Amino acid sequence: MTNSPAPGRMPVLVNLNTEERYTLTGASASLGRAPENEIVLPDDGYASADHARIFFDQGLWWVEDLHSSNGTFVNDQLLQAPWQLSPYDQIKVGRTVFRIE
């Protein structure tokens, strides 16, 4: 069993505030204000520098909060542990909302 996502099955994050689309091309993507993140949110003052991470593990995509100040939400539920993602889930990081496709 491999722990790498299958090509052609890469999820896309759609920023519902700006309509920007981010195709997840690796096994992990970090989100936050810091420029080192794969998805940088420089204008979201409610996002932490290193806010959340989306990752592929055991054939599934997950999101986890990285001890951010304001928390990470999926479908309006505050994450307490990694959350298994499904198509059309909405992920809130700071004031930015993404939909997973």
Side-chain angles (χ1 to χ4, degrees):
M1 175 180 281
T2 180
N3 203 33
S4 297
R9 295 188 45 193
M10 302 301 204
V12 175
L13 282 181
V14 179
N15 182 327
L16 297 181
N17 303 21
T18 65
E19 296 300 319
E20 290 176 277
R21 299 172 66 83
Y22 303 92
T23 300
L24 303 182
T25 57
S28 177
S30 57
L31 298 86
R33 284 194 337 270
E36 299 81 30
N37 290 293
E38 283 80 14
I39 300 173
V40 181
L41 306 170
D43 300 324
D44 189 336
Y46 288 82
S48 294
D50 299 306
H51 196 105
R53 179 174 78 109
I54 296 173
F55 62 98
F56 188 79
D57 187 46
Q58 302 299 314
L60 301 167
W61 285 96
W62 301 81
V63 62
E64 68 179 339
D65 184 75
L66 298 177
H67 307 290
S68 66
S69 298
N70 293 312
T72 301
F73 295 78
V74 175
N75 303 329
D76 294 323
Q77 293 186 30
L78 178 63
L79 295 186
Q80 302 296 327
W83 180 286
Q84 181 183 333
L85 290 170
S86 298
Y88 306 108
D89 278 347
Q90 290 192 359
I91 304 165
K92 184 177 179 187
V93 173
R95 288 198 171 162
T96 305
V97 179
F98 295 93
R99 180 180 62 236
I100 191 152
E101 296 181 347

